[in-house]
């Protein structure tokens, strides 16, 4: 997905997120994240923005989290941290160095993509807690987000965040599972070394298939939608294994 498009979506979704937070009762529980209030959600997004700002500015991970003091007013914090983050994006090219958790990609571009995807998911959270209709997620952003969840969080994460996986990969079912939306498909195979994720020609050559429209499928992967938002076909045990694996890396 083009950097300019990701930056544009970041701005649009931040505007929706901010408006929803401003409308919500700060003490209201977020339906999709019941441990959070609306104020907690705003605080989380502000902290994430501030942390990534420093990852770019310093070229290293800041020693403290959050790396700075937030305002008591969540909207003030959101505005200040968003301005700091986008200021760093504007001051750098996507290929410039930044500290990231993905060893193969230590660039500002990594954080542009990650923050665009972070923002759209939390924008949905904000709309839900405000009681607003959930704005549609554009197909291109959703497909990019699905690719990110599968390849980075599930594929890379399962191999590098072993503690998060518990015993899930001790003796995994290594039959293939497919994820399919539109004209995009991914092949997912769990192995003891980690989950292998690759692009696929179609979604119909595996023992289980998860399919749906891009937006609902992305929300389902991030535990923001129930099973009725997607279609689950094939071997039930393989589908249950996938559910456990994706929950482990997106919690």
């Amino acid at each position: 997905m083009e950097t300019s498009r990701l930056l544009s979506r970041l701005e649009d979704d931040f505007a929706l997120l901010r408006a929803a937070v401003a409308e919500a009762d700060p003490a209201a529980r977020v339906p999709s994240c019941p441990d959070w209030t609306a104020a907690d959600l705003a605080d989380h997004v502000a902290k994430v923005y501030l942390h990534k700002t420093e990852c770019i500015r310093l070229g290293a991970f800041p020693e403290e989290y959050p790396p700075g003091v937030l305002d008591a007013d969540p909207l003030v914090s959101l505005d200040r941290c968003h301005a700091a983050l986008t200021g760093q994006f504007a001051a750098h090219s996507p290929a410039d160095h930044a500290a990231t958790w993905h060893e193969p990609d230590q660039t500002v571009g990594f954080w542009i993509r990650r923050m665009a995807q972070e923002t759209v998911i939390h924008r949905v959270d904000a709309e839900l807690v405000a009681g607003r209709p959930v704005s549609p997620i554009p197909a291109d952003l959703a497909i990019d987000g699905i690719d990110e969840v599968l390849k980075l969080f599930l594929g890379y994460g399962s191999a590098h965040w072993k503690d998060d996986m518990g015993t899930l990969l001790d003796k995994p079912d290594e039959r293939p599972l497919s994820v399919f939306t539109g004209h995009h498909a991914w092949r997912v195979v769990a192995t003891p070394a980690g989950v292998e994720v690759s692009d696929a020609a179609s979604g119909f050559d595996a023992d289980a298939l998860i399919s749906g429209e891009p937006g609902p499928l992305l929300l389902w992967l991030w535990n923001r939608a129930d099973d009725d938002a997607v279609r689950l076909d094939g071997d039930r045990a393989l589908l249950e294994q996938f559910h456990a694996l994706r929950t482990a890396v997106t919690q």
Side-chain angles (χ1 to χ4, degrees):
M1 194 169 174
E2 292 291 331
T3 297
S4 59
R5 174 66 172 154
L6 289 168
L7 289 169
S8 174
R9 285 310 316 170
L10 172 59
E11 291 305 295
D12 290 346
D13 284 313
F14 176 77
L16 291 169
L17 184 155
R18 188 193 187 283
V21 168
E23 185 178 315
D25 177 351
R29 290 286 164 184
V30 181
S32 45
C33 300
D35 290 341
W36 282 353
T37 64
D40 293 332
L41 172 62
D43 182 72
H44 169 78
V45 174
K47 286 177 179 177
V48 169
Y49 284 174
L50 187 57
H51 183 260
K52 300 343 168 201
T53 297
E54 292 300 280
C55 287
I56 297 169
R57 187 181 72 84
L58 298 173
F61 289 108
E63 294 183 2
E64 297 181 355
Y65 187 89
V69 178
L70 297 179
D71 195 274
D73 185 332
L75 286 176
V76 172
S77 289
L78 273 176
D79 287 341
R80 180 165 63 84
C81 295
H82 169 261
L85 177 70
T86 55
Q88 285 296 315
F89 288 161
H92 292 84
S93 73
D96 286 349
H97 173 75
T100 84
W101 49 258
H102 186 227
E103 292 180 10
D105 188 355
Q106 299 290 299
T107 68
V108 173
F110 175 89
W111 287 128
I112 292 173
R113 182 197 198 192
R114 179 83 283 282
M115 290 302 95
Q117 295 296 340
E118 179 89 1
T119 301
V120 71
I121 295 299
H122 289 317
R123 178 264 284 175
V124 171
D125 294 333
E127 290 174 329
L128 289 171
V129 74
R132 288 183 162 201
V134 173
S135 304
I137 301 175
D140 59 343
L141 184 68
I143 290 168
D144 182 73
I146 294 165
D147 187 80
E148 184 197 45
V149 174
L150 294 176
K151 292 180 181 177
L152 291 187
F153 286 87
L154 186 56
Y156 181 85
S158 64
H160 291 79
W161 307 331
K162 289 294 188 179
D163 289 346
D164 292 341
M165 306 312 295
T167 61
L168 292 173
L169 295 177
D170 287 356
K171 294 181 179 180
D173 186 333
E174 298 189 41
R175 291 177 296 163
L177 173 145
S178 290
V179 178
F180 180 77
T181 185
H183 299 293
H184 296 76
W186 297 262
R187 182 180 177 88
V188 179
V189 178
T191 77
V195 181
E196 298 176 355
V197 181
S198 58
D199 295 321
S202 73
F204 305 103
D205 57 352
D207 291 274
L209 171 66
I210 300 164
S211 58
E213 293 299 314
L217 178 55
L218 175 65
L219 293 178
W220 181 83
L221 287 170
W222 277 109
N223 302 298
R224 264 66 176 188
D226 296 329
D227 285 352
D228 58 6
V230 298
R231 180 171 176 173
L232 305 172
D233 296 298
D235 187 86
R236 183 56 52 180
L238 197 55
L239 291 166
E240 290 176 354
Q241 175 178 264
F242 180 84
H243 172 77
L245 291 168
R246 60 104 176 176
T247 299
V249 297
T250 58
Q251 60 187 345

